[in-house]
């Protein structure tokens, strides 16, 4: 689905929830200690950078064709009126073409990748009101990933020499992990106990992260 489609869905969600966000008789922000959230992040760091190599200026090894985002689940604890600390779990899947990026842009196969990120984050309010908050977020964590690459039949057959294929196995499966981070210089939350939020940043939550938060004492 396109980015514009997802932004449109978020706006529709906001329109549906707006009466509850603004008129429901609920506790003020100052009384809420625990915040639980579910959101969708568009264009995560892993999606944008998968296949690139440090120090190599050639094209990436992969061309993503899957949904460019991640499902995020979060928890935050309000330390005081300005500071929150929390945890985020983010899950995403990618798939697309495997490219021969060293010598050409020819498609040599396909790839599938899934990853899970667990991270600690820190939130600081720029300003807060009974109905809204404007804030920043910074987080750091670890991403665990599993990927499968498979040569196409047409490309793999070109690797045979004296009965041995120089490309190795036709299907390659890999597992690994790497450090990950997230920085959002600007976030907006609107609502009281049930609130809608949107964040602009970069990292494991995406360039645009938007969703709903439910708060309890």
């Amino acid at each position: 689905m396109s980015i514009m489609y997802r932004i449109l869905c978020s706006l529709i969600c906001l329109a549906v929830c707006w009466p509850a966000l603004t008129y429901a008789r609920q506790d003020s922000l100052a009384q809420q200690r625990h915040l639980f959230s579910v959101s969708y992040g568009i264009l995560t760091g892993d999606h944008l950078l998968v296949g690139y190599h440090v120090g190599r200026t050639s094209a990436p090894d992969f061309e993503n064709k899957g949904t460019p985002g991640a499902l995020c689940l979060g928890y935050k604890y309000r330390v005081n009126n300005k500071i929150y600390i929390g945890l985020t779990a983010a899950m995403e899947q990618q798939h697309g073409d495997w490219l021969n990026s060293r010598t050409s842009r020819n498609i040599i196969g396909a790839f599938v990748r899934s990853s899970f990120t667990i991270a600690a984050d820190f939130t600081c309010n720029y300003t807060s009101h009974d109905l809204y908050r404007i804030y920043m977020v910074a987080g750091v964590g670890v991403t665990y990933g599993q990927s499968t690459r498979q040569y196409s039949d047409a490309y793999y057959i070109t690797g045979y020499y004296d009965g041995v294929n120089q490309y190795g196995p036709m299907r390659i499966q890999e597992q690994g992990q790497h450090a990950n981070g997230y920085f959002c210089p600007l976030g907006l939350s609107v609502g009281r106990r049930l609130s809608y939020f949107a964040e602009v940043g970069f990292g494991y939550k995406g360039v645009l992260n938007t969703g709903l938060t439910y708060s309890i004492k």
Side-chain angles (χ1 to χ4, degrees):
M1 289 181 276
S2 67
I3 296 176
M4 293 302 299
Y5 175 80
R6 296 192 177 279
I7 294 175
L8 179 61
C9 289
S10 298
L11 293 175
I12 293 173
C13 180
L14 175 60
V16 172
C17 297
W18 184 257
L21 301 180
T22 55
Y23 298 110
R25 298 184 61 182
Q26 299 170 332
D27 297 326
S28 67
L29 292 173
Q31 294 177 300
Q32 298 164 8
R33 287 283 182 182
H34 308 279
L35 286 73
F36 301 89
S37 65
V38 58
S39 62
Y40 188 84
I42 300 172
L43 298 177
T44 67
D46 277 9
H47 179 90
L48 293 173
L49 300 177
V50 64
Y52 282 96
H53 299 271
V54 176
R56 201 178 88 192
T57 58
S58 63
D61 294 333
F62 307 115
E63 181 178 351
N64 278 319
K65 291 188 174 181
T67 302
L71 174 66
C72 303
L73 303 176
Y75 165 77
K76 295 183 186 295
Y77 175 77
R78 186 179 67 83
V79 178
N80 53 45
N81 290 337
K82 191 173 183 179
I83 303 299
Y84 297 78
I85 56 175
L87 293 172
T88 296
M91 296 147 282
E92 62 181 302
Q93 288 190 319
Q94 303 160 358
H95 71 270
D97 294 330
W98 180 13
L99 309 175
N100 185 358
S101 59
R102 292 182 182 273
T103 58
S104 67
R105 293 286 289 170
N106 293 334
I107 297 174
I108 62 175
F111 84 98
V112 176
R113 180 178 180 274
S114 60
S115 63
F116 174 79
T117 300
I118 184 72
D121 51 50
F122 167 85
T123 302
C124 179
N125 292 340
Y126 294 129
T127 184
S128 62
H129 185 269
D130 189 48
L131 182 61
Y132 69 87
R133 293 187 299 118
I134 300 175
Y135 58 91
M136 60 81 66
V137 185
V140 62
V142 179
T143 296
Y144 301 91
Q146 179 174 344
S147 64
T148 300
R149 293 174 290 159
Q150 182 166 321
Y151 291 103
S152 66
D153 292 339
Y155 184 83
Y156 191 73
I157 200 171
T158 64
Y160 280 103
Y161 181 77
D162 285 342
V164 178
N165 198 299
Q166 61 179 330
Y167 301 140
M170 187 173 188
R171 175 178 292 186
I172 303 168
Q173 293 183 318
E174 297 175 323
Q175 292 182 335
Q177 62 188 52
H178 64 270
N180 210 335
Y182 176 68
F183 179 67
C184 159
L186 182 62
L188 172 65
S189 175
V190 180
R192 294 185 175 91
R193 179 170 292 181
L194 176 65
S195 60
Y196 169 85
F197 71 91
E199 300 173 356
V200 177
F202 182 81
Y204 54 79
K205 286 187 179 181
V207 172
L208 174 65
N209 182 263
T210 181
L212 296 174
T213 296
Y214 185 77
S215 308
I216 61 176
K217 293 183 180 180

